[in-house]
Amino acid sequence: MNRFRTSKFKNCIPKIPKKAEWINDIGSASSSSTGNNIKCGQSAIAFNTDNAGILGITPLEVRSGEKRTVSTISCHTDLVTDFAFSPFADDLLVTGSSDQTIKLWRVSEAADAGSLSGTLAGVEGQVRALQFHPSADSLLVTAAAKTVQIWDLSKEIKLTALEAHGDQVQSVGWNQDGVLLGTSCKDKRLRIFDARGGTGAIQNTQGHDSNKDSRVQWTNSSNHLLTSGFNQVRERELLLWDIRSFSRPLTSFTLDASSGILIPLYDADTGLLILGAQGEGSLYCMEVSTEPHSLSQISQCVTEEQTRGLALVPKLCLDVMNCELLRLLQLTDKFIIPISYNVQRKSVKELQVDLFPDTAGCTTVLSAQDWWKGENKQVQKVSLDPYHRPAPSCRGNSGKKQNEQQENDIVSSIAEPSDGSTLSSPSSSLTSPSSGIVSSTSQRSLQSFLGQSSRLRHTQGTVLHRDHHITNLRGISQSTPGESDGFCINYQRLALPLAAPGGQVAVLEFSQTGRLPDTLPTVQNSVAVTDLTWDTFNPHRLVTGGEDGRIRIWQIPQKGLKETLTEPQIVLTGHNERIYTVRFHPCASDILASSSYDFTIRIWNLQTGKDVHVLRGHEDQIFSLAWSPDGKYLATCCKDQRVRIYEPRKSNLPVQEGPGPEGSRGARVVWVCDGKYLLVSGFNSRSDRQIFLLNAEDLSCGPVSKTNLDVSPSTLIPHYDPDTSLLLLTGKGDTRVFLYEVMAEPPYFLECNTFSSSDPHKGFQFLRKLDCAVRDAEIVRAVRLGSSSLEPVSFRVPRVKKEFFQDDLFPPSRITWEPALSAGDWLGGKDMQQRTINLCPDGMLPVSQAPKEAPVRKILPSSVYLQEKTDEQKKEELLNAMVAKLGNRDDPLPQEAFEGVDEDEWD
């Protein structure tokens, strides 16, 4: 066999770009997956990270001037073993895991987030491989342990399970027409199945001589199969098979004696095969021919980075006019390297049809049920010529330029007047490069076309400078219950449980930043602390709940803790089991609520040190409690999967009950939308973290809206900002904070940007609105507890007109640090909320009162464009353009990317 036979692809050369063109900031990639570790859809790239169960997501293309973003999806509780994008719905991502689950995800259009849309039940063992059907929509084949199963994802049901293999299934794949399935197995056998004809194999033969991992890959002929594996002397080899004569391979190709498991990537249009292996830098390009049958090596290149995974970019995303045959994405430890395989041609003005035949499109021709009933159809092929390519049917399938053109067409069509009038110029109502003006009517019409979005969607979280950090924290307690926030803060100081014996709590002053001494004075409780909180109206009063069922009230000196405290000011006794939660009343002073494992809630009057109400009715552990904004009601969430509302002054039994989270691992409840709704965070029956809204006037009706977030063992702790309706969610041990704008009407939840940290945090607490930098449009100020430091985090909304007070972000705010009632007044039946204050700084004008500036559009006379230019003038213009381009190389500031408040909204 001649390995280097003449081929039209003999000049196909791999081109490794400069390091500046690599995709960086991906964190650390994983190499422990059984799959390829990286997959590419029409608009997004997904890859395995070094955190088990977490995938990284980044866009395939970014527009000029935009910064690439890399986000993560917490998919599973264990290693993600394989995953794939749907060929017909590019936002659909399917993941399989060692935790024996298969999940369906919807990836956002910007590839910056993913939401769980379903889980397949009945997976039998660790998922080994999965693959979509080439022509039927929502049809998936999976391999787990010794079993191969076929699923209809549209109904989330299993269509069939094939006959069990003799050992672990190593790979599975459809042939080109989607009729047959091929599998490789650890028992060294290759099997061919016709799943609709029966569960048994129709062909079965000896495969590679070694039981090390082998892969199955069908060629562009429905009768020919390509496998990669190891021979008897442990050399890596390729075997080409004809299923019509399946007793022995047609031909073979031996590579080398390396131990790396080959990753085969096959392009059906050209017959080219890319080979690589994890932990190696060599990449092979081969041509597979079935008539006559041969395997020929075209090229080999060695990259400077070791491979962790490989993926091919879809054919419709290639630069075909520059003869780009293939584009390979090489996943390495820190980068994703795009490697182009180009054929050198002297002059390319038209599509080279000998290199680029029509390729399979993205329009499905069959449903999963149609295929299961026996229908066979091929996906219609489309031209790769960008000038004759049809409109895409799945998101992003024509590349960045076509997407931009479609968006421009949408905006242009929306901007046309509906009254039949004509526009004065094409740029009179749309963005103009010279004027930078956008018609507000067009913006609102486009927003209506694309769906509602949050006014806070661009909120950005930033860790403040290290000068504001408190470092050298030692011995932080790791054993606080999940019902506790882990630590608590007020506007002067924070309290933090330590791992030292005796229930020690450190009290730190925000005014004393920098490195802490190795030893600190503490508050000693004599028993382990289960929860703690500061008095809402007294920054010197600290309340701790203990394992012994007692609640201790401590008075912290005004200048901070200088020596160890051992004697509390008051000890509240009444509970006979350990304390879970302590919460102060939001409006009345000296009123405290506590929950215990004795399934009761007690309301305390701290002036007398006695409990005044004992609330009953819970049948299991109380996960969370929350006062209503007016302090009239108390809501609880319980392990018995019920949410309850109490009116403590009228009854010790709940006045309402409704369904809570289905999972029993933990939950939180908080009042939102001026007390009209209860927001509950918890777990569903599949252990996915979710949030949902309950109507506070009728809990029995169940949730009005639900949203699944991700999979993680920690309970989501919600914080709600009533001024902006912004909800922030994170859990202890998370690296991500989810942001949503909560509305009292559909769609209820509007997703905003997320905040991510480089290392897991042990807690997140939030300061008063008065502590925010209002001049900088900072709407929330938080404190993040890391492994050994405390870091302030600022959440800002980028605005252009920062010289004005953003009164849409800062309405009159409640003075939450001053009581509206005394304990006696509240116990006597009175209800009152605090007064509000205007947060507008002195000397700032509200943006709603800012004078409107008439848009100035520079219109040059036609003679400027028609006059003849000299060579000197042309040369000078060219130089000026080059200098301007070099001057704009720096990334733009965040606020330059947003328009701020539309002035017409204030009409």
Side-chain angles (χ1 to χ4, degrees), residues 100-156:
Q100 303 184 19
T101 62
I102 297 174
K103 298 187 177 182
L104 316 180
W105 302 86
R106 291 292 177 181
V107 180
S108 69
E109 187 169 353
D112 60 359
S115 60
L116 185 67
S117 64
T119 301
L120 303 184
V123 180
E124 302 174 3
Q126 172 183 323
V127 179
R128 185 75 177 181
L130 49 84
Q131 189 181 74
F132 277 97
H133 193 275
S135 55
D137 190 23
S138 301
L139 190 64
L140 183 77
V141 62
T142 63
K146 300 180 182 181
T147 307
V148 174
Q149 298 172 311
I150 299 177
W151 307 82
D152 180 355
L153 301 187
S154 63
K155 300 180 181 296
E156 296 185 20

Coordinates of all heavy atoms in Angstrom, one line a residue, residues 100-156:
Q100 N -24.1 8.7 36.1 CA -25.2 7.9 35.5 C -26.4 8.7 35.1 O -27.5 8.2 35.2 CB -25.5 6.7 36.4 CG -24.4 5.9 36.8 CD -24.7 4.7 37.6 OE1 -25.9 4.3 37.7 NE2 -23.8 4.1 38.3
T101 N -26.2 10.0 34.7 CA -27.3 10.8 34.2 C -27.0 11.4 32.9 O -25.8 11.6 32.5 CB -27.6 11.9 35.2 OG1 -26.5 12.8 35.3 CG2 -28.0 11.4 36.6
I102 N -28.0 11.7 32.1 CA -27.9 12.4 30.8 C -28.9 13.6 30.9 O -30.0 13.4 31.2 CB -28.3 11.5 29.6 CG1 -27.3 10.3 29.5 CG2 -28.3 12.3 28.3 CD1 -27.7 9.3 28.5
K103 N -28.3 14.8 30.6 CA -29.1 16.0 30.8 C -29.1 16.8 29.5 O -28.2 16.8 28.7 CB -28.6 16.8 32.0 CG -28.7 16.1 33.3 CD -28.3 17.0 34.5 CE -28.5 16.2 35.8 NZ -28.1 17.0 37.0
L104 N -30.2 17.6 29.4 CA -30.4 18.4 28.2 C -30.3 19.9 28.7 O -30.9 20.3 29.6 CB -31.8 18.2 27.6 CG -32.2 16.7 27.4 CD1 -33.6 16.7 26.7 CD2 -31.2 15.9 26.6
W105 N -29.5 20.7 27.9 CA -29.3 22.0 28.3 C -29.6 23.0 27.1 O -29.4 22.6 26.0 CB -27.8 22.2 28.7 CG -27.4 21.4 29.8 CD1 -26.9 20.1 29.8 CD2 -27.4 21.7 31.2 NE1 -26.7 19.6 31.0 CE2 -26.9 20.6 32.0 CE3 -27.8 22.8 32.0 CZ2 -26.9 20.5 33.3 CZ3 -27.7 22.8 33.3 CH2 -27.2 21.7 34.0
R106 N -30.1 24.2 27.5 CA -30.3 25.2 26.5 C -29.2 26.2 26.7 O -29.1 26.9 27.7 CB -31.6 25.8 26.6 CG -32.8 24.9 26.2 CD -32.8 24.6 24.7 NE -33.8 23.6 24.4 CZ -34.0 23.2 23.1 NH1 -33.2 23.6 22.1 NH2 -34.9 22.3 22.9
V107 N -28.3 26.4 25.7 CA -27.2 27.4 25.8 C -27.7 28.7 25.2 O -28.3 28.7 24.1 CB -26.0 26.8 25.0 CG1 -24.8 27.8 25.1 CG2 -25.5 25.5 25.6
S108 N -27.4 29.8 25.9 CA -27.9 31.1 25.4 C -27.2 31.5 24.1 O -26.2 31.0 23.7 CB -27.7 32.2 26.5 OG -26.3 32.4 26.6
E109 N -27.9 32.4 23.4 CA -27.4 32.8 22.1 C -26.0 33.4 22.2 O -25.2 33.3 21.3 CB -28.3 33.8 21.4 CG -28.0 34.1 20.0 CD -29.1 34.9 19.3 OE1 -30.2 35.1 19.9 OE2 -28.8 35.3 18.2
A110 N -25.7 34.1 23.3 CA -24.4 34.7 23.5 C -23.4 33.7 24.0 O -22.2 34.0 24.3 CB -24.4 35.9 24.4
A111 N -23.8 32.4 24.2 CA -23.0 31.4 24.8 C -22.4 31.8 26.1 O -21.3 31.4 26.5 CB -21.8 31.0 23.8
D112 N -23.2 32.5 26.9 CA -22.7 33.0 28.2 C -23.5 32.4 29.4 O -23.2 32.7 30.5 CB -22.7 34.5 28.3 CG -24.2 35.1 28.2 OD1 -25.1 34.2 27.9 OD2 -24.3 36.3 28.2
A113 N -24.4 31.5 29.1 CA -25.1 30.8 30.1 C -25.8 29.6 29.6 O -26.0 29.4 28.4 CB -26.2 31.8 30.8
G114 N -26.2 28.7 30.5 CA -26.9 27.5 30.1 C -28.0 27.1 31.1 O -27.7 27.3 32.3
S115 N -29.2 26.7 30.7 CA -30.2 26.3 31.6 C -30.6 24.9 31.3 O -30.7 24.5 30.2 CB -31.4 27.3 31.5 OG -31.9 27.2 30.1
L116 N -30.9 24.2 32.4 CA -31.3 22.8 32.3 C -32.7 22.7 31.7 O -33.7 23.4 32.2 CB -31.3 22.1 33.7 CG -31.6 20.6 33.7 CD1 -30.5 19.8 33.0 CD2 -31.7 20.2 35.1
S117 N -32.9 21.9 30.7 CA -34.3 21.7 30.1 C -34.8 20.3 30.2 O -36.0 20.1 29.9 CB -34.2 22.1 28.6 OG -33.4 21.2 27.9
G118 N -34.0 19.4 30.7 CA -34.6 18.0 30.9 C -33.5 17.0 31.3 O -32.3 17.3 31.2
T119 N -33.9 15.9 31.9 CA -33.1 14.8 32.3 C -33.7 13.5 31.9 O -34.9 13.3 32.0 CB -32.9 14.8 33.9 OG1 -32.3 16.1 34.3 CG2 -31.9 13.7 34.3
L120 N -32.8 12.6 31.3 CA -33.3 11.4 30.8 C -33.2 10.3 32.0 O -32.2 10.2 32.6 CB -32.4 10.9 29.7 CG -32.4 11.8 28.4 CD1 -31.6 11.1 27.3 CD2 -33.8 12.2 27.9
A121 N -34.3 9.7 32.2 CA -34.4 8.7 33.3 C -34.2 7.3 32.8 O -34.7 7.0 31.7 CB -35.8 8.8 34.0
G122 N -33.5 6.5 33.5 CA -33.3 5.1 33.2 C -32.0 4.8 32.6 O -31.8 3.7 31.9
V123 N -31.0 5.6 32.8 CA -29.6 5.4 32.3 C -29.0 4.3 33.2 O -29.1 4.3 34.4 CB -28.8 6.6 32.3 CG1 -27.4 6.3 31.8 CG2 -29.4 7.7 31.5
E124 N -28.4 3.3 32.5 CA -27.9 2.1 33.2 C -26.4 2.1 33.3 O -25.8 1.5 32.5 CB -28.5 0.8 32.6 CG -30.0 0.8 32.5 CD -30.5 -0.4 31.8 OE1 -29.7 -1.2 31.3 OE2 -31.7 -0.6 31.6
G125 N -25.8 2.9 34.2 CA -24.4 2.9 34.4 C -23.8 4.2 33.9 O -24.4 5.1 33.5
Q126 N -22.4 4.2 34.1 CA -21.7 5.4 33.7 C -21.8 5.6 32.2 O -21.6 4.7 31.4 CB -20.2 5.2 34.1 CG -19.3 6.3 33.5 CD -17.9 6.1 33.9 OE1 -17.5 5.6 34.9 NE2 -16.9 6.4 33.0
V127 N -22.2 6.9 31.8 CA -22.3 7.2 30.3 C -21.0 7.2 29.7 O -20.0 7.8 30.1 CB -23.1 8.5 30.2 CG1 -23.2 8.8 28.7 CG2 -24.4 8.5 30.8
R128 N -20.9 6.5 28.6 CA -19.6 6.3 27.9 C -19.5 7.2 26.6 O -18.5 7.8 26.3 CB -19.4 4.9 27.5 CG -18.0 4.6 26.9 CD -16.9 4.6 27.9 NE -15.6 4.2 27.3 CZ -14.5 4.1 28.0 NH1 -14.5 4.3 29.3 NH2 -13.4 3.8 27.4
A129 N -20.6 7.2 25.9 CA -20.6 8.0 24.6 C -22.1 8.3 24.3 O -23.0 7.6 24.7 CB -20.0 7.1 23.5
L130 N -22.2 9.4 23.5 CA -23.5 9.7 23.0 C -23.4 10.4 21.6 O -22.4 11.1 21.3 CB -24.3 10.6 24.0 CG -23.6 11.8 24.6 CD1 -23.7 13.1 23.7 CD2 -24.3 12.1 25.9
Q131 N -24.4 10.3 20.7 CA -24.3 10.9 19.4 C -25.7 11.1 18.9 O -26.6 10.3 19.1 CB -23.6 10.0 18.5 CG -23.3 10.6 17.1 CD -22.6 9.6 16.2 OE1 -23.2 8.7 15.6 NE2 -21.3 9.9 16.0
F132 N -25.9 12.3 18.3 CA -27.2 12.6 17.6 C -27.3 11.9 16.3 O -26.3 11.6 15.6 CB -27.3 14.1 17.4 CG -27.8 14.9 18.6 CD1 -26.8 15.5 19.4 CD2 -29.1 15.0 18.9 CE1 -27.3 16.2 20.5 CE2 -29.5 15.7 20.0 CZ -28.6 16.3 20.8
H133 N -28.6 11.7 15.9 CA -28.9 11.1 14.6 C -28.6 12.1 13.5 O -28.8 13.3 13.7 CB -30.4 10.6 14.6 CG -30.7 9.7 13.4 ND1 -31.0 10.2 12.2 CD2 -30.8 8.4 13.3 CE1 -31.3 9.2 11.4 NE2 -31.1 8.1 12.0
P134 N -28.1 11.6 12.3 CA -27.7 12.6 11.3 C -28.8 13.3 10.6 O -28.6 14.3 9.9 CB -26.8 11.8 10.3 CG -27.3 10.4 10.6 CD -27.7 10.3 12.0
S135 N -30.1 12.7 10.6 CA -31.2 13.3 9.9 C -32.5 13.4 10.7 O -33.3 14.2 10.3 CB -31.5 12.5 8.6 OG -31.7 11.1 8.9
A136 N -32.7 12.7 11.7 CA -33.9 12.8 12.5 C -33.7 13.7 13.7 O -32.7 13.7 14.4 CB -34.3 11.4 13.0
D137 N -34.6 14.6 13.9 CA -34.5 15.6 15.0 C -34.8 14.9 16.3 O -35.6 14.1 16.5 CB -35.6 16.7 14.8 CG -35.4 17.9 15.7 OD1 -34.3 18.1 16.2 OD2 -36.4 18.6 15.9
S138 N -34.0 15.4 17.3 CA -34.2 15.0 18.7 C -34.0 13.5 18.9 O -34.6 12.9 19.9 CB -35.6 15.4 19.3 OG -35.7 16.8 19.2
L139 N -33.2 12.8 18.1 CA -33.0 11.4 18.2 C -31.5 11.2 18.7 O -30.6 11.7 18.0 CB -33.2 10.7 16.9 CG -33.2 9.1 17.0 CD1 -34.4 8.6 17.9 CD2 -33.3 8.5 15.6
L140 N -31.3 10.5 19.8 CA -30.0 10.4 20.4 C -29.7 8.9 20.7 O -30.6 8.2 21.2 CB -30.0 11.2 21.7 CG -28.6 11.3 22.4 CD1 -27.7 12.2 21.7 CD2 -28.8 11.7 23.9
V141 N -28.5 8.5 20.5 CA -28.1 7.2 20.9 C -27.0 7.4 22.0 O -26.2 8.3 21.9 CB -27.5 6.4 19.7 CG1 -26.3 7.0 19.1 CG2 -27.1 4.9 20.2
T142 N -27.1 6.6 23.1 CA -26.2 6.6 24.2 C -25.6 5.3 24.5 O -26.3 4.2 24.3 CB -26.8 7.2 25.4 OG1 -27.9 6.3 25.9 CG2 -27.4 8.6 25.2
A143 N -24.4 5.2 25.0 CA -23.8 4.0 25.5 C -23.4 4.2 26.9 O -22.7 5.2 27.3 CB -22.5 3.7 24.6
A144 N -23.8 3.3 27.8 CA -23.5 3.3 29.2 C -23.3 1.9 29.7 O -24.2 1.0 29.5 CB -24.6 4.0 30.0
A145 N -22.2 1.6 30.3 CA -21.8 0.3 30.8 C -21.9 -0.7 29.6 O -21.2 -0.5 28.6 CB -22.7 -0.2 31.9
K146 N -22.8 -1.7 29.6 CA -22.9 -2.7 28.6 C -24.1 -2.5 27.7 O -24.4 -3.3 26.8 CB -23.0 -4.1 29.2 CG -21.8 -4.5 30.0 CD -22.0 -6.0 30.5 CE -20.8 -6.4 31.4 NZ -21.0 -7.8 32.0
T147 N -24.7 -1.3 27.8 CA -26.0 -1.1 27.2 C -26.0 0.1 26.2 O -25.3 1.1 26.5 CB -27.1 -0.8 28.3 OG1 -27.1 -1.8 29.2 CG2 -28.5 -0.6 27.6
V148 N -26.6 0.0 25.1 CA -26.8 1.0 24.1 C -28.3 1.3 24.1 O -29.1 0.4 23.9 CB -26.3 0.7 22.7 CG1 -26.7 1.7 21.7 CG2 -24.8 0.4 22.8
Q149 N -28.7 2.6 24.2 CA -30.1 3.0 24.3 C -30.3 4.1 23.3 O -29.4 4.9 23.0 CB -30.5 3.5 25.7 CG -30.4 2.4 26.7 CD -30.6 3.0 28.1 OE1 -30.0 4.0 28.5 NE2 -31.4 2.3 28.9
I150 N -31.6 4.2 22.7 CA -32.0 5.2 21.8 C -33.1 6.0 22.4 O -34.1 5.4 22.9 CB -32.4 4.6 20.4 CG1 -31.2 3.8 19.8 CG2 -32.8 5.7 19.5 CD1 -31.5 3.1 18.5
W151 N -33.0 7.3 22.3 CA -33.9 8.2 23.0 C -34.6 9.2 22.0 O -34.0 9.6 21.1 CB -33.2 9.1 24.1 CG -32.4 8.3 25.0 CD1 -31.1 7.8 24.8 CD2 -32.7 7.9 26.4 NE1 -30.7 7.1 25.9 CE2 -31.6 7.2 26.9 CE3 -33.9 8.1 27.1 CZ2 -31.7 6.6 28.2 CZ3 -33.9 7.5 28.4 CH2 -32.8 6.8 28.9
D152 N -35.9 9.5 22.4 CA -36.6 10.6 21.7 C -36.5 11.8 22.7 O -37.3 11.8 23.7 CB -38.0 10.2 21.4 CG -38.8 11.3 20.8 OD1 -38.3 12.5 20.6 OD2 -40.0 11.1 20.4
L153 N -35.7 12.8 22.4 CA -35.5 13.9 23.3 C -36.7 14.8 23.4 O -36.9 15.5 24.4 CB -34.2 14.7 23.0 CG -32.9 13.9 22.9 CD1 -31.8 14.9 22.7 CD2 -32.7 13.1 24.2
S154 N -37.5 14.9 22.3 CA -38.6 15.7 22.3 C -39.7 15.3 23.4 O -40.4 16.1 23.9 CB -39.3 15.8 20.9 OG -39.8 14.5 20.6
K155 N -39.7 14.0 23.6 CA -40.6 13.5 24.7 C -39.9 13.0 25.9 O -40.5 12.6 26.9 CB -41.4 12.3 24.1 CG -42.3 12.7 22.9 CD -43.0 11.5 22.4 CE -43.9 11.8 21.1 NZ -44.9 12.8 21.5
E156 N -38.5 13.1 25.8 CA -37.7 12.6 26.9 C -38.0 11.2 27.3 O -38.2 10.8 28.5 CB -37.8 13.5 28.2 CG -37.2 14.9 27.9 CD -37.2 15.8 29.1 OE1 -37.3 15.3 30.2 OE2 -37.2 17.1 29.0

